[in-house]
Amino acid sequence: MPSDPKVALSAPVSDEVRKTTCYMCACRCGIDVHLKGGKIRYIEGNRDHPVNRGVLCAKGSAGIMQHYAPARLSAPLKRVGPRGSGQFQEISWDEALETASRWLGALRRSDPKKLAFFTGRDQSQSLTGFWAQQFGTPNYAAHGGFCSVNMAAAGIMTIGGAFWEFGSPDWERTKLFIMFGVAEDHDSNPLKIGISKLKKRGARFVSVNPVRTGYSAVADNWIGIRPGTDGLLILSIVHLLMKAHKIDVDYLIRYSNAPWLVIDAPDDADYGLFARDDEGKPLIFDGVTEQVVPTGTKGSRPALSGRHPLPDGRHAVPSFQLLAEKYLDPKYAPEAVAEKTGVSAETIRGLAAEIARVAFDEAITVDQPWTDIHGERHESFIGRPVSFHAMRGISAHSNGFQTARALHMLQVLIGAVDCPGGFRFEPPYPKPVEAHPTPHGRAEHFGSNKPLSGPHLGFPRGPEDLLIDVDGNPARIDKAFSWDAPFAAHGLMHMVIANAHAGDPYPVDLLFLYMANMAWNSSMNTAGVIKMLEDKDPTTGEYRIPKIIYSDAYASEMVAYADLVLPDTTYLERHDCISLLDRPISEPDAVQDAIRWPVVEPDRDVRPFQSVLIDLGVRLNLPGFVGHRGRALYKDYADYIVRHERRPGIGPLAGFRGTAGERAGRGAANPDQLQRYIENGSFFSAHIPLEAQFFKHANKAYQEFAVRMGFFDQPQPVTFQLYQESLQKFRLSAEGKREPRAPGTHRKRILDAFHPLPEWYPPLEESMVDGKAYPLHAVTQRPAAMYHSWGSMNAWLRQIHTKNVLYVPGQVCDELGLADGDWAEVISHHGRIRVEVARTEAANRNTLWTWNAIGKREGAWGLDRDAPEARKGFLLNHLIHELLPPKGDGMRWSNSDPVTGQAAWYDLRVRIEKIARAETSEPRFAAVAQPGRPRERPQELRYGEEWAE
């Protein structure tokens, strides 16, 4: 029966609702933006959106205060005082763009590599990377190098995908969920939704994290591991599973390189590489014919052990035999690793037993016939309902790459990758390494007015793909894809300013940054970086980094160090593209992408950075932005989103393609595409057929679906690479057996870190400092209510966190006589800070921790100068150096993972000393002036009332 009409309890909050995509963290949730009189009144979750289903966190709801923040920039700015003073003059956009194009044009004509273009938290890297490629500089990357490149590189190189934006747990079916090192600011709504599903079903949730907050606080079991030892714990679990024969042998033979033969000829240049036939196919030993045959030979039964003769007279062994010999070593037994990890042998044994029990005793079946890539028909999908998730907690260590590989290896050994109940890929992943480009930007390719021959970022197949000159010197300012960090798939943004200041490997003339707060919380050694930005050449009197262009929507600490500021819009005033070419929002069962669009128009003299970049591309006559007659190809970013194509029929958005908007994935440009997205809630979703939803790496139906959607032009199945041949190629170069040979200065680092099977080694800073002088670990994590620097200038979110304290384990408090509200100095090998402390019983006994990005520099972000964020907030960054301690060999290595260059934020070792009560945290810096003209006080929102001043 029809229900009675609902009685209105209050006046409508809005007269219009516009649906777009949130930008208050990296979840990319759907939101309903309520407007009244053309002004934003309220933001809530879009209940039809596939990412959040209406759920919205405090950050998303507070987007209204982000939009109306007093910290918003108002107009283009030209520096008129010393760097760091915040003294600027407002200028017109004509002058700003003429200045920027003049500076950029001079470099493009003379030496494009003198431009270093790096972007921070933007979500338009397919555009920014394309622009830099057309400009011709090798020096481009985004923030991943100090965020999560270990996760991405290790995952893609091992299984063809990774955690976070590449896949997710099968929340509907998993029975055991194990999370490593995840703070609550990333992927928060999908994780909260998923964990709530686990709780309702009675599934078990285990959290491995030095700190018990957020997700860890609601876990059934919390394992308070010592920072930097996750890899050792994982390999101990592998040891136990191997000893108990609790591995999925059939899965390994079908989907991994476990049976591939590895050449056993220690004196040869191909020692440790895979034996291959004349067509390059890896070889296996067939137990039926007892012959060496290529992989995929019909009717073969690959062996996983034995030493077998090769056609050339040498011998080889299956990679699985090397794996078994390595991890059955008693050094991985729980009793041998317990002290190092801080996890008891009993706990390690219990966790391994639970993984084995759930994976093999509680296996599940989805009754759906499917065909694999070899043409074999299967009647159902078999699932191992154990799933894992991990993020920066294991990534931000100098051993994080191998730790992440170890976790993926564990998943493969139990057969839990892309099966029902396990970790599941999200389109367009999985992709084999062969589907990714190699990096481009060799020094010999530099040329004036010429684009690079391909994209900057990619995956080397071996030392021959490094971006180095004939003398072995890096081609890039951050030394990515050099001997320093060969697999730096996201670049080393944290090293750009230090290297540019030192002129190592060469100086740059122009640093161009977008949304990268490198003068504060996005840099190690913050005080040192500030000095580098201010430093001048004593002989010329010019700044060592001559010019800096910066774009941001807000008056961050970095703005004060720019020579030219290009003010961006807020996320509610511009078009954005959450693209399959970049960082999509897909789910395991569906292909999804989304847009943002201007739900309100700017009330200031600001422009969307993406459109500004396209404008600069036209002014510089960059290929891809102008036609053969020099006319602009795109009028703005919205036009680019609709009409740009990377390959015929493949553009930034997958939905509503074709002239009538009837096609998905591939299709002609549709002039009404953005309007179709807006009408659909600003997202697009295409369901994956059931027979294609699992085992995507080897599923014929999925591979054909991926080709139809345009992910590939031909099927790209993935064979899981437990044994990583490309790492062994670098070891051969370090041993002098393979060209190009690694320089002598780099050989030991390569031999120590580039093991073809996952290896644990102590974090580099930990092994280089005196453990007695610095006995404690110190780590940070993001609170749920903040996302990087943004949140702590948001009027609503500031009510949750206006300062941060250092949380000290109870055992340490008792030893030092510390209590809540006391003050202490924290000292590292690099520096010291003064902080307020609080006791905690929810942390590893040797680990201090705090919330990150709360502390602010006085005068920044539109905050009052006496704001608690500036007086009592602090950063651990002041204790972390971008370089490792000297070893006496004349070398200062970057404080990074030697494989990928991932910034090792969490390797920090410290001591703590109680001091007299204080009023402010230290260090403190001179206040920066608010840039531009004084802003009026922001309008105040009052629920149920009209706008009031």
Side-chain angles (χ1 to χ4, degrees):
M1 296 180 64
S3 58
D4 294 332
K6 293 181 179 179
V7 176
L9 299 179
S10 63
V13 72
S14 61
D15 51 33
E16 184 179 5
V17 177
R18 295 182 172 182
K19 297 177 182 291
T20 187
T21 304
C22 188
Y23 198 15
M24 294 296 288
C25 80
C27 284
R28 287 81 50 88
C29 295
I31 54 175
D32 291 350
V33 181
H34 291 254
L35 293 94
K36 191 167 187 178
K39 295 184 181 293
I40 301 169
R41 295 299 305 271
Y42 179 65
I43 297 175
E44 64 179 339
N46 178 356
R47 298 189 180 192
D48 297 322
H49 199 277
V51 169
N52 59 315
R53 305 291 181 186
V55 174
L56 201 62
C57 67
K59 297 188 297 293
S61 298
I64 183 172
M65 305 313 289
Q66 201 83 353
H67 174 72
Y68 289 114
R72 291 181 303 171
L73 297 173
S74 304
L77 302 171
K78 177 175 67 175
R79 180 176 59 82
V80 293
R83 277 195 192 156
S85 66
Q87 297 175 31
F88 289 95
Q89 174 186 330
E90 290 193 358
I91 59 175
S92 67
W93 272 103
D94 285 342
E95 182 179 350
L97 292 171
E98 189 280 327
T99 300
S101 58
R102 175 162 42 84
W103 291 353
L104 289 163
L107 293 184
R108 188 162 186 262
R109 289 187 297 272
S110 61
D111 192 352
K113 74 175 185 296
K114 293 298 185 72
L115 167 66
F117 178 38
F118 285 76
T119 69
R121 299 292 162 182
D122 73 293
Q123 295 174 5
S124 55
Q125 292 161 28
S126 65
L127 167 68
T128 53
F130 180 71
W131 188 94
Q133 180 184 337
Q134 304 311 305
F135 186 92
T137 178
N139 295 316
Y140 164 81
H143 75 282
F146 61 67
C147 179
S148 59
V149 66
N150 275 338
M151 297 300 307
I156 289 170
M157 291 172 66
T158 307
I159 62 171
F163 302 116
W164 184 209
E165 291 162 329
F166 305 92
S168 72
D170 188 345
W171 297 113
E172 306 295 337
R173 303 176 182 88
T174 194
K175 299 180 182 180
L176 174 61
F177 173 53
I178 304 173
M179 175 184 284
F180 284 82
V182 177
E184 46 262 39
D185 69 319
H186 271 72
D187 206 22
S188 58
N189 287 333
L191 278 174
K192 286 184 291 189
I193 295 169
I195 291 171
S196 69
K197 290 179 179 179
L198 299 181
K199 293 287 185 178
K200 288 178 181 177
R201 292 193 293 103
R204 191 171 190 173
F205 170 25
V206 178
S207 177
V208 183
N209 198 315
V211 177
R212 188 171 196 178
T213 64
Y215 308 128
S216 298
V218 300
D220 298 293
N221 302 94
W222 169 60
I223 298 175
I225 196 167
R226 190 166 74 84
T229 64
D230 304 78
L232 192 56
L233 171 67
I234 293 164
L235 294 180
S236 186
I237 292 170
V238 169
H239 170 88
L240 292 169
L241 294 175
M242 298 284 290
K243 286 189 70 175
H245 302 284
K246 291 296 186 178
I247 58 174
D248 192 332
V249 174
D250 181 66
Y251 188 93
L252 292 174
I253 291 173
R254 287 179 180 274
Y255 306 126
S256 81
N257 66 1
W260 292 9
L261 293 176
V262 178
I263 297 169
D264 185 15
D267 295 329
D268 292 356
D270 54 359
Y271 170 56
L273 304 185
F274 292 121
R276 300 177 184 270
D277 66 10
D278 292 340
E279 296 179 357
K281 274 193 170 184
L283 300 177
I284 61 169
F285 184 78
D286 177 18
V288 176
T289 64
E290 297 188 355
Q291 297 290 322
V292 171
V293 299
T295 56
T297 299
K298 292 290 185 181
S300 63
R301 295 177 60 186
L304 292 180
S305 63
R307 189 169 185 267
H308 308 290
L310 296 173
D312 62 9
R314 299 182 297 173
H315 287 76
V317 298
S319 70
F320 183 78
Q321 178 166 315
L322 300 176
L323 184 151
E325 291 171 352
K326 182 179 181 73
Y327 302 122
L328 287 173
D329 190 311
K331 74 178 185 180
Y332 294 111
E335 291 76 12
V337 308
E339 183 176 355
K340 290 181 180 177
T341 62
V343 181
S344 70
E346 180 184 14
T347 298
I348 298 172
R349 290 185 181 279
L351 181 57
E354 185 70 355
I355 291 170
R357 185 189 67 79
V358 174
F360 296 100
D361 297 348
E362 297 193 19
I364 58 178
T365 300
V366 173
D367 294 323
Q368 169 63 50
W370 66 288
T371 302
D372 66 29
I373 55 173
H374 300 298
E376 182 178 347
R377 185 74 170 169
H378 305 264
E379 294 306 313
S380 62
F381 293 111
I382 305 300
R384 309 287 182 197
V386 179
S387 60
F388 298 87
H389 185 64
M391 197 52 195
R392 192 180 300 116
I394 70 170
S395 180
H397 291 284
S398 52
N399 59 15
F401 173 78
Q402 291 286 18
T403 294
R405 286 195 68 226
L407 185 53
H408 289 302
M409 178 181 70
L410 172 57
Q411 293 189 107
V412 175
L413 288 173
I414 63 172
V417 176
D418 213 52
C419 68
F423 166 83
R424 297 182 61 196
F425 291 116
E426 296 174 350
Y429 292 90
K431 294 181 182 181
V433 166
E434 293 74 23
H436 294 265
T438 56
H440 293 75
R442 288 182 188 270
E444 60 263 29
H445 292 170
F446 297 157
S448 61
N449 291 318
K450 292 181 180 179
L452 295 185
S453 57
H456 299 80
L457 307 177
F459 290 87
R461 311 315 191 233
E464 62 276 11
D465 292 326
L466 291 180
L467 301 183
I468 53 179
D469 64 18
V470 293
D471 296 320
N473 298 312
R476 290 174 52 107
I477 188 64
D478 59 357
K479 301 186 181 180
F481 308 113
S482 73
W483 293 110
D484 288 60
F487 291 90
H490 291 166
L492 282 77
M493 189 172 187
H494 58 291
M495 293 305 301
V496 171
I497 292 172
N499 290 355
H501 175 265
D504 177 21
Y506 48 78
V508 299
D509 287 343
L510 175 57
L511 179 62
F512 190 2
L513 298 175
Y514 174 49
M515 284 181 59
N517 194 14
M518 305 305 292
W520 198 244
N521 64 285
S522 291
S523 282
M524 299 173 169
N525 185 19
T526 303
V529 169
I530 288 172
K531 185 177 184 303
M532 294 173 198
L533 294 171
E534 296 175 345
D535 200 16
K536 294 183 178 182
D537 186 322
T539 58
T540 65
E542 299 295 325
Y543 287 108
R544 288 192 181 274
I545 302 175
K547 297 180 179 66
I548 299 175
I549 300 176
Y550 185 56
S551 180
D552 204 323
Y554 306 100
S556 72
E557 286 87 353
M558 185 62 210
V559 168
Y561 294 92
D563 304 307
L564 178 66
V565 179
L566 306 176
D568 192 17
T569 60
T570 72
Y571 72 101
L572 297 173
E573 298 170 321
R574 66 166 181 257
H575 284 95
D576 272 335
C577 179
I578 300 96
S579 169
L580 289 165
L581 300 177
D582 198 346
R583 302 172 67 186
I585 57 167
S586 295
E587 297 293 334
D589 297 339
V591 178
Q592 296 167 181
D593 59 14
I595 66 166
R596 297 185 187 91
W597 59 286
V599 296
V600 291
E601 292 298 320
D603 60 355
R604 309 163 317 287
D605 192 15
V606 297
R607 296 183 184 180
F609 175 74
Q610 293 83 355
S611 291
V612 168
L613 201 62
I614 289 171
D615 188 329
L616 288 172
V618 174
R619 292 168 184 258
L620 296 169
N621 202 38
L622 299 187
F625 293 94
V626 295
H628 66 280
R629 295 183 180 178
R631 293 183 179 178
L633 293 178
Y634 314 105
K635 62 182 182 181
D636 55 20
Y637 188 43
D639 193 33
Y640 173 94
I641 291 172
V642 171
R643 297 198 298 111
H644 178 72
E645 290 186 333
R646 286 298 165 89
R647 308 194 313 275
I650 306 296
L653 291 173
F656 311 109
R657 299 194 68 82
T659 53
E662 78 287 1
R663 305 190 66 178
R666 296 179 185 268
N670 170 18
D672 297 323
Q673 186 181 37
L674 291 179
Q675 185 58 37
R676 292 290 300 274
Y677 269 82
I678 292 169
E679 293 167 357
N680 195 56
S682 292
F683 69 90
F684 165 77
S685 182
H687 193 71
I688 301 172
L690 184 58
E691 67 172 334
Q693 287 183 11
F694 300 100
F695 297 94
K696 298 181 183 76
H697 51 279
N699 186 317
K700 185 172 184 288
Y702 177 78
Q703 292 291 319
E704 292 173 348
F705 172 82
V707 171
R708 291 196 302 273
M709 288 296 298
F711 305 158
F712 320 118
D713 291 330
Q714 60 184 12
Q716 297 277 2
V718 177
T719 300
F720 301 145
Q721 301 294 301
L722 301 181
Y723 183 97
Q724 182 53 251
E725 184 181 52
S726 57
L727 295 177
Q728 177 64 12
K729 291 179 180 179
F730 279 90
R731 292 178 64 82
L732 292 170
S733 290
E735 292 171 349
K737 297 175 182 176
R738 182 184 178 89
E739 296 293 340
R741 297 187 180 189
T745 51
H746 292 69
R747 289 174 187 169
K748 187 178 186 303
R749 278 167 57 87
I750 291 172
L751 292 173
D752 288 346
F754 284 60
H755 295 270
L757 288 167
E759 176 84 0
W760 182 83
Y761 51 88
L764 298 182
E765 179 177 320
E766 179 178 329
S767 65
M768 296 174 69
V769 300
D770 184 343
K772 293 181 179 179
Y774 307 105
L776 302 172
H777 300 269
V779 298
T780 65
Q781 64 177 31
R782 308 288 187 183
M786 301 293 178
Y787 182 61
H788 305 290
S789 298
W790 296 351
S792 53
M793 59 92 177
N794 183 295
W796 288 359
L797 299 177
R798 288 186 66 223
Q799 298 176 60
I800 303 172
H801 299 280
T802 56
K803 68 174 185 178
N804 55 315
V805 297
L806 185 72
Y807 292 97
V808 182
Q811 176 180 314
V812 178
C813 286
D814 292 342
E815 292 171 357
L816 299 178
L818 287 168
D820 287 359
D822 284 345
W823 285 75
E825 279 197 343
V826 185
I827 303 105
S828 72
H829 78 92
H830 171 59
R832 61 179 60 214
I833 58 176
R834 184 174 72 190
V835 299
E836 187 178 358
V837 303
R839 184 187 182 102
T840 180
E841 305 297 342
N844 172 274
R845 63 180 180 273
N846 294 313
T847 303
L848 317 176
W849 74 276
T850 191
W851 298 120
N852 195 16
I854 304 295
K856 292 284 173 282
R857 185 168 176 178
E858 186 177 336
W861 296 98
L863 298 174
D864 291 340
R865 289 192 171 186
D866 61 350
E869 289 88 344
R871 294 177 55 79
K872 291 192 175 182
F874 66 92
L875 302 176
L876 287 185
N877 306 49
H878 301 301
L879 300 176
I880 308 172
H881 204 290
E882 74 272 6
L883 301 177
L884 289 168
K887 296 194 302 179
D889 60 359
M891 301 291 291
R892 290 293 301 274
W893 301 101
S894 70
N895 189 7
S896 311
D897 188 300
V899 182
T900 65
Q902 161 92 52
W905 296 98
Y906 294 167
D907 284 359
L908 179 63
R909 296 298 297 265
V910 300
R911 70 176 182 270
I912 182 171
E913 299 174 355
K914 184 177 180 179
I915 62 172
R917 184 171 298 274
E919 296 300 323
T920 61
S921 57
E922 293 286 349
R924 296 184 63 78
F925 298 83
V928 293
Q930 289 288 329
R933 62 176 181 269
R935 295 282 294 158
E936 296 177 358
R937 297 294 297 175
Q939 292 174 311
E940 179 183 352
L941 268 178
R942 296 179 181 175
Y943 181 76
E945 300 179 14
E946 295 301 316
W947 285 86
E949 295 293 337

